Amino acid sequence: MNINYLSALFVSGLSLLSLPALSDPHISDLSINGFITQGFFYTDENNIYGQSSDNGSFEFREAGINTSYRFNSRLRGAAQLMSRKAGAVDDGNPKLDYALLDYRFTDSVDNAAGIRLGRLKIPFGFYNETRDVAFTRPSIMLPQSLYFDQARDVELSIDGVIVYSYLEVPGGWLDIDLLYGKPQTDTNVEYTYLSGDAPGKFDDSMGYLGRVIYNADGGRVRLGAMLANYEFSYQPAKPAVFLDFDKGNMKLDLFILSAQYNAEKWTATAEYMLHDLDWRELGGVFAVSPQTTIESYYLQLQYRIDQNWELLLRYDDMRLDKDDPNGTTNAILFAPKPAHTFYSEDITVGVGWKPNPDWSFRAELHNVKGTAWAAEQDNTDPTELRKYWNIFALQATYRF
Amino acid sequence: MSLLILVFSLCLNTSSAVADSVIVSMDVEELSFNKNFLLAVFSMRVTRWPDGRPIKVFVLPDRHPVHHRFVKQHLQIFPYQLRNNWDRQVYTGTGEAPVQVDDIDEMYIKVSQTPGSIGYLSAPKELSLKEVRSVDEY
């Protein structure tokens, strides 16, 4: 499914359905929302979102505009355009973030269920769906162990279909999402999973995913679990080049457990992820390490002083190879990459200020050991990466 | 002067809203709601009335004291949770945020004029309930 298909879907949907809806001003409903974010990053070592270790980097901007339209009581359409500039990882070109039709079969408090079709945000953990919307983030940078920036294109959105339900159960309700579709495949995916811009490319992909979140006591307690399986078909370069990968499928399996407690003044959140990578069919450099499991987790505390001010404390931990947590074996296998490129430990403190509902400002400090999620696009020579580094970040956001 | 108008309007009223009442437009058939239904409606999870017509939800600004009280006492959650739910839905295309009104007077007018609508009023602000209906909660 591509953008042309999606727009065709939309035009046909509009022409079929909008006429009766438009004639009734009480049923039809159009809404438009947007936001713009500017960040600043300064690092003492290593780079993030541009050449941040020189004099700091302003190469971090996010802007989005979305619209939704209620055709009738069962059918909605929604779309969002998104531009993101993030150092050498994202160039800022506007992309269709999501564009979907949502049909609700049943809509009662014990079971509200429906289907969404089109380009969809991936319901991955608590934060992935709105990872680029600063107002929905607890911090400037999401915990990179789970929401690492390099893999954002895989995690961001998918062309396919979601069946969803809000199902009442004892003590609360379940948010259920079952997804099947085709994840995006671009060069950043190669950086993430093939450690660089590969000679060939991923020319096809498919994935399915299921997420269930149990919301108890009105959402005071939220417990989630997610399982996903992705396959990316690698097509070697033509004509063949030296040191290319073999034709075949790279397989990803993801498993996430999420938990959150929402009190009036504070929110505690924790998520744990296992991310299995299987490169066996691709061979090449990965023949020495054909299967690995990334292990990630974070623990996060938000404290709301009043309606303007909020504090954040977080510990975030990532091991690129669960069986080699300190990277010693991998450093030998993948020389000259240093051992610290195989893990990251990040202690974050932050403060947020919302002078009014439309503006949000944040400042945060990251004390980081390891460089597992330091983007290779912004740090082109892995031997120059430093094990210990600090990030200072500022962010301003306006929404309308 | 405003006090005079208030006293005058009080005298004209036949009935008045009790402490933070949920109100609906006159065409809504439901006479009472349970807490789960209210939470689902104000969270924008449930979008249709049992008769199939769309629900139009009106809320006061996040920082309005009546909004705070209503969310905590009637929905039994915190306003930031409601805002998080709306933001998640709006920025994923999976749902809407309610329509925000500036004050109690506008709330009354919008609910009275919009078929299938729901909102809430506070106790101190006495308003005629001729054009909207207060519903029971259980």
Side-chain angles (χ1 to χ4, degrees):
Chain A
M1 200 182 301
N2 56 28
I3 293 179
N4 290 334
Y5 178 80
L6 283 171
S7 47
L9 196 75
F10 258 78
V11 171
S12 58
L14 272 168
S15 56
L16 277 173
L17 297 149
S18 62
L19 292 175
L22 283 171
S23 62
D24 184 345
H26 299 305
I27 292 177
S28 66
D29 190 9
L30 180 79
S31 69
I32 295 172
N33 292 280
F35 60 92
I36 182 156
T37 299
Q38 174 66 53
F40 171 77
F41 290 84
Y42 176 77
T43 48
D44 56 353
E45 306 285 352
N46 310 332
N47 287 318
I48 188 156
Y49 304 129
Q51 299 303 305
S52 57
S53 60
D54 297 340
N55 291 307
S57 167
F58 284 96
E59 287 185 39
F60 184 83
R61 267 181 303 285
E62 293 167 320
I65 185 160
N66 66 59
T67 179
S68 75
Y69 185 77
R70 195 163 170 172
F71 297 106
N72 57 46
S73 63
R74 287 175 183 269
L75 186 70
R76 292 175 56 256
Q80 177 160 284
L81 264 183
M82 173 85 205
S83 154
R84 186 170 188 264
K85 170 67 187 168
V89 178
D90 263 313
D91 56 12
N93 286 338
K95 287 179 183 167
L96 187 64
D97 193 35
Y98 62 77
L100 60 92
L101 287 173
D102 180 338
Y103 185 82
R104 206 46 90 92
F105 302 118
T106 67
D107 210 343
S108 65
V109 66
D110 52 325
N111 185 17
I115 187 166
R116 296 189 187 107
L117 186 73
R119 176 162 294 177
L120 308 160
K121 301 300 288 179
I122 299 179
F124 169 116
F126 279 148
Y127 294 112
N128 184 62
E129 294 156 290
T130 56
R131 62 190 290 157
D132 299 330
V133 186
F135 269 95
T136 68
R137 293 194 292 247
S139 50
I140 299 173
M141 293 166 64
L142 281 176
Q144 294 292 299
S145 68
L146 266 84
Y147 305 98
F148 47 109
D149 220 53
Q150 284 195 39
R152 68 188 306 282
D153 294 326
V154 178
E155 298 172 349
L156 202 58
S157 43
I158 194 161
D159 293 337
V161 57
I162 282 182
V163 177
Y164 68 92
S165 167
Y166 308 108
L167 188 67
E168 198 170 52
V169 291
W173 76 94
L174 299 176
D175 294 328
I176 303 169
D177 289 282
L178 302 171
L179 176 156
Y180 179 82
K182 183 175 155 51
Q184 300 184 30
T185 54
D186 66 5
T187 310
N188 283 343
V189 181
E190 296 170 22
Y191 271 102
T192 308
Y193 296 108
L194 304 181
S195 296
D197 188 353
K201 64 185 176 70
F202 289 117
D203 65 349
D204 199 10
S205 61
M206 64 75 74
Y208 53 88
L209 178 153
R211 183 184 70 172
V212 177
I213 296 177
Y214 175 59
N215 301 271
D217 195 8
R220 181 180 286 261
V221 176
R222 301 176 71 212
L223 301 171
M226 189 213 75
L227 275 173
N229 176 276
Y230 287 1
E231 290 197 11
F232 293 88
S233 307
Y234 185 77
Q235 187 65 44
K238 286 177 187 165
V241 296
F242 183 57
L243 283 179
D244 199 353
F245 302 102
D246 299 336
K247 183 179 168 63
N249 288 339
M250 176 186 74
K251 294 166 188 158
L252 312 180
D253 281 294
L254 291 108
F255 169 67
I256 298 179
L257 287 176
S258 310
Q260 187 170 66
Y261 187 84
N262 289 296
E264 182 160 25
K265 287 284 185 190
W266 53 274
T267 295
T269 310
E271 295 197 282
Y272 174 81
M273 176 171 84
L274 289 174
H275 183 151
D276 292 325
L277 305 167
D278 181 348
W279 292 289
R280 277 176 298 184
E281 293 181 16
L282 269 60
V285 64
F286 294 109
V288 293
S289 175
Q291 282 176 291
T292 47
T293 301
I294 302 174
E295 184 177 44
S296 313
Y297 72 91
Y298 70 87
L299 306 165
Q300 173 182 282
L301 202 59
Q302 292 161 270
Y303 182 76
R304 286 171 286 276
I305 302 168
D306 57 29
Q307 54 187 8
N308 295 339
W309 292 91
E310 182 182 301
L311 301 175
L312 171 95
L313 177 66
R314 182 169 65 214
Y315 175 73
D316 183 41
D317 191 296
M318 179 185 210
R319 309 286 154 178
L320 285 189
D321 185 346
K322 180 171 162 283
D323 299 323
D324 181 29
N326 297 314
T328 39
T329 311
N330 279 283
I332 297 164
L333 292 176
F334 295 99
K337 288 185 88 174
H340 64 73
T341 61
F342 294 93
Y343 62 85
S344 278
E345 300 168 13
D346 177 358
I347 299 166
T348 306
V349 290
V351 56
W353 180 50
K354 280 185 191 168
N356 63 56
D358 299 330
W359 282 94
S360 162
F361 300 90
R362 285 191 183 278
E364 71 196 35
L365 270 173
H366 296 250
N367 177 256
V368 194
K369 177 184 169 189
T371 53
W373 44 257
E376 281 162 51
Q377 295 95 319
D378 286 319
N379 300 278
T380 42
D381 183 354
T383 61
E384 283 185 11
L385 284 167
R386 296 288 170 268
K387 179 175 174 181
Y388 295 97
W389 52 308
N390 294 285
I391 306 168
F392 172 66
L394 295 170
Q395 174 186 273
T397 301
Y398 174 73
R399 71 158 156 203
F400 54 93
Chain B
M1 181 63 193
S2 60
L3 188 70
L4 264 179
I5 292 172
L6 182 67
V7 171
F8 185 65
S9 65
L10 279 177
C11 295
L12 280 180
N13 286 348
T14 50
S15 64
S16 58
V18 290
D20 294 349
S21 297
V22 175
I23 53 163
V24 293
S25 53
M26 297 302 272
D27 61 309
V28 172
E29 290 164 3
E30 276 61 40
L31 299 173
S32 62
F33 300 133
N34 71 15
K35 195 203 91 186
N36 288 352
F37 181 78
L38 273 186
L39 179 59
V41 166
F42 280 95
S43 305
M44 309 293 282
R45 269 201 324 276
V46 167
T47 63
R48 297 202 296 262
W49 295 109
D51 68 6
R53 292 184 310 146
I55 305 176
K56 276 296 260 188
V57 183
F58 291 95
V59 293
L60 291 163
D62 282 14
R63 298 183 179 196
H64 197 291
V66 175
H67 178 74
H68 266 246
R69 206 169 57 216
F70 173 76
V71 172
K72 282 168 74 172
Q73 291 180 357
H74 293 245
L75 307 182
Q76 292 171 16
I77 62 170
F78 304 111
Y80 78 87
Q81 292 176 276
L82 213 45
R83 172 55 64 187
N84 287 351
N85 285 337
W86 299 336
D87 283 348
R88 193 158 47 229
Q89 290 170 154
V90 166
Y91 291 105
T92 55
T94 58
E96 317 283 330
V99 178
Q100 188 177 303
V101 295
D102 291 336
D103 52 38
I104 299 280
D105 291 331
E106 194 187 351
M107 174 73 87
Y108 178 81
I109 292 164
K110 283 282 164 60
V111 173
S112 69
Q113 292 175 349
T114 312
S117 63
I118 185 168
Y120 48 85
L121 293 178
S122 65
K125 188 83 183 176
E126 308 263 345
L127 289 161
S128 164
L129 285 181
K130 280 178 187 163
E131 293 165 48
V132 299
R133 199 158 50 73
S134 168
V135 283
D136 294 330
E137 295 160 57
Y138 60 92

